[in-house]
Amino acid sequence: MQHKTIDAPQATRHAQETRLSGNMGVGELVMNVLAFSSPLATVAGTLPVLLMFSGQTAPAIYVLITLMLLMFSVGFVKMSRSVKGPGGFYSFVTAGLGKPAGLGGAFLALFGYIFIGFFAPSFFGVTLNGFVMNSLNGPDVPWYWYALGIIAVTTLLAYNRIDLSAKVLTVVMLLEVAVVVVFDIASFSANGMETVQGAVFALPSLGDATLGLALLFAVGNFFGFEATVIYRDEVKNPDRTIPRATYIAVVGIGLFYALAAWAFIAFLGPDNVQAAAESNTVNLFNDAVAALVGKIFADIAVVLLITSVLACMLSIQNIAARYSFALARDHALPTILGRVHPKHKSPFVSALAVGVIWGAATVVFTILGVAPDVLYPIASGSGTFAVLLLMFITSFAVLVYFLRRRSFAPESIWKSIIAPLVSVIFLGVITYLAITNYPELIGGSALLTVIFMSFTFALFFGGIFYALFLRSKRPNVYARLGRQSAD
């Protein structure tokens, strides 16, 4: 019997054909991260909610969270140099806590990002319909048609090579950032230096009853930076690009939102900002921009808010598709989801699958008569909790990984022990706050809290049990978990 052999060049070609590929640099990767947090939507939507909880302490809260997430990034970046797999947190948790926990973490990541992203179609539909009717005197189109339209657009972009998404996101992010910077400058200029200096960085009090909710909402504004490692195969020089993009993203996001919060305080006044945010949460930013810069600029900001939602959704879809791809390549999901487009070198089947899930869910909830303003807090809140829980598990995995290696490959105590330990404590506290304040996080009832929180934990433990099943019944698949081999 003759055995077919594969020569070295053929094996190399096979590996290239079955791996994702791209050419993103530091700037483009940072823009992918920034798009996830949807800066204009955050400043217009989430930041007024944070001001309602924290008042003039909001800038200090952002600075505090920036410092804490930098602690997380120290061990995160250090581990990214050791764990080369493109599976993101899936690979990290596997390396630190073993294959069962790794698969549980991968399920949290996949469903968490899909849930977060599902807030966007309904929010986009309602926002765009309102703009068309009120500003353009256009027709009243049901929100779900706009929702299905944006799903089709982002799926088309995610289907293509990552460089196309990166270019689109870079342009949109630069425009969004410019709008917020204009708002900041206008606010600081209009009120004089005395007012600006009076809006100092007031420190929050540990006894403040709303501090937990303020921290919880603020930390969600940083999400996306942790996904830099999922693009390892699609960036130039990943060992340099990923660490730089991670640190720039964390610091950039923190300073960006701290300055925006400070601008709100300077415009509204330190003593009035909390009451103003509570009485006018939805229109706080638009009214402030119109008063400072004019109605035309405020309308431009609304248009960019709409494109901001598109950019956020595209960023999330790219991340979710790559987690699906990683799991499929390890045969933990149907292998068809692990196919690479021959031309675009993208996870095109997984990207299509995410779009189909969002589209089908939109149709189902429309038929059931669920209002869009009910959908997006539940989707974003439950998804945020899943990713937050995953970050806590990952921080623990990073600590365990380096503790195990100290006997044969000791690293800097600061990078491998102290910083990861601080991040475990910090993310543990934030996760606890998320659990205790879950109804406010999803804007739902006690029943919905039980349902969605139970589902989230079931994802993680279900992944563990599934991995144990694979170890017993399909050991060849179990052996692949967490390594995303190309064979």
Side-chain angles (χ1 to χ4, degrees):
M1 179 182 295
Q2 292 183 339
H3 295 277
K4 184 178 179 180
T5 60
I6 301 177
D7 57 22
Q10 186 177 350
T12 301
R13 286 195 303 272
H14 174 71
Q16 291 173 344
E17 291 171 357
T18 54
R19 289 184 65 177
L20 303 179
S21 178
N23 199 37
M24 287 193 295
V26 174
E28 291 168 316
L29 187 54
V30 169
M31 290 302 173
N32 266 277
V33 169
L34 187 59
F36 188 107
S37 73
S38 191
L40 190 53
T42 296
V43 172
T46 308
L47 189 47
V49 176
L50 177 63
L51 290 169
M52 183 174 64
F53 291 132
S54 62
Q56 62 180 315
T57 66
I61 287 175
Y62 276 118
V63 172
L64 171 65
I65 291 176
T66 299
L67 294 174
M68 292 298 100
L69 290 180
L70 281 174
M71 292 286 190
F72 173 85
S73 300
V74 169
F76 176 78
V77 165
K78 184 67 177 174
M79 194 167 181
S80 72
R81 298 183 187 276
S82 301
V83 179
K84 302 290 188 178
F89 284 171
Y90 172 34
S91 298
F92 281 24
V93 177
T94 300
L97 302 179
K99 295 178 185 295
L103 190 56
F107 285 172
L108 276 178
L110 177 59
F111 287 96
Y113 287 119
I114 288 176
F115 270 45
I116 292 177
F118 187 57
F119 97 92
S122 54
F123 183 79
F124 177 87
V126 171
T127 305
L128 182 55
N129 186 45
F131 178 74
V132 169
M133 289 179 59
N134 300 325
S135 298
L136 302 179
N137 295 319
D140 181 7
V141 178
W143 69 270
Y144 48 82
W145 290 117
Y146 289 125
L148 293 173
I150 191 179
I151 291 171
V153 171
T154 59
T155 301
L156 177 63
L157 290 169
Y159 178 95
N160 281 271
R161 188 176 175 89
I162 188 63
D163 299 342
L164 176 61
S165 292
K167 287 180 173 62
V168 172
L169 294 176
T170 297
V171 172
V172 175
M173 287 305 99
L174 289 175
L175 292 172
E176 285 187 50
V177 170
V179 168
V180 177
V181 169
V182 168
F183 163 69
D184 293 347
I185 294 173
S187 177
F188 294 144
S189 301
N191 294 281
M193 285 306 298
E194 291 184 3
T195 303
V196 174
Q197 291 170 355
V200 295
F201 274 35
L203 295 176
S205 170
L206 293 177
D208 190 343
T210 59
L211 177 60
L213 278 171
L215 287 170
L216 184 58
F217 273 88
V219 79
N221 298 158
F222 288 78
F223 281 3
F225 85 92
E226 78 286 349
T228 51
V229 291
I230 201 73
Y231 295 107
R232 169 168 283 276
D233 285 346
E234 298 166 273
V235 298
K236 295 179 289 189
N237 194 352
D239 285 338
R240 183 179 64 181
T241 298
I242 290 174
R244 288 182 179 180
T246 301
Y247 285 124
I248 290 173
V250 173
V251 174
I253 290 172
L255 293 180
F256 181 81
Y257 291 134
L259 283 173
W262 195 11
F264 270 116
I265 296 168
F267 174 70
L268 298 168
D271 298 328
N272 300 323
V273 63
Q274 195 161 5
E278 187 171 355
S279 63
N280 189 28
T281 309
V282 175
N283 296 311
L284 191 69
F285 179 73
N286 286 347
D287 290 351
V289 170
L292 289 167
V293 192
K295 182 68 168 59
I296 294 177
F297 190 83
D299 288 340
I300 294 173
V302 173
V303 173
L304 290 176
L305 172 61
I306 294 169
T307 61
S308 173
V309 177
L310 184 149
C312 172
M313 187 172 164
L314 174 58
S315 175
I316 296 171
Q317 188 165 4
N318 279 328
I319 295 171
R322 277 148 185 82
Y323 272 107
S324 170
F325 172 83
L327 285 164
R329 293 304 302 276
D330 287 352
H331 296 186
L333 289 181
T335 55
I336 190 174
L337 295 171
R339 292 182 60 186
V340 177
H341 194 282
K343 177 183 177 182
H344 303 304
K345 299 300 180 184
S346 63
F348 71 109
V349 177
S350 283
L352 289 172
V354 174
V356 168
I357 290 172
W358 283 342
T362 300
V363 171
V364 169
F365 285 118
T366 299
I367 293 173
L368 293 176
V370 179
D373 57 349
V374 173
L375 282 180
Y376 50 76
I378 292 177
S380 61
S382 57
T384 295
F385 177 68
V387 175
L388 177 61
L389 180 60
L390 174 61
M391 287 182 66
F392 170 64
I393 294 169
T394 303
S395 67
F396 185 65
V398 170
L399 178 62
V400 172
Y401 176 81
F402 286 114
L403 282 174
R404 287 176 172 173
R405 289 169 56 90
R406 288 202 64 77
S407 61
F408 60 91
E411 304 277 1
S412 161
I413 293 180
W414 162 250
K415 293 182 178 180
S416 62
I417 304 298
I418 298 176
L421 179 60
V422 171
S423 74
V424 168
I425 296 171
F426 169 70
L427 288 171
V429 170
I430 297 297
T431 303
Y432 170 76
L433 291 172
I435 293 173
T436 56
N437 293 283
Y438 198 86
E440 288 81 5
L441 185 64
I442 66 170
S445 63
L447 177 61
L448 288 176
T449 296
V450 171
I451 292 172
F452 282 98
M453 188 179 293
S454 300
F455 177 73
T456 303
F457 281 102
L459 285 172
F460 179 65
F461 289 109
I464 292 176
F465 292 135
Y466 180 41
L468 296 177
F469 167 80
L470 292 175
R471 186 174 65 181
S472 173
K473 302 297 184 181
R474 302 178 64 188
N476 58 323
V477 175
Y478 181 82
R480 300 173 63 99
L481 295 181
R483 68 188 183 94
Q484 296 86 54
S485 63
D487 55 352

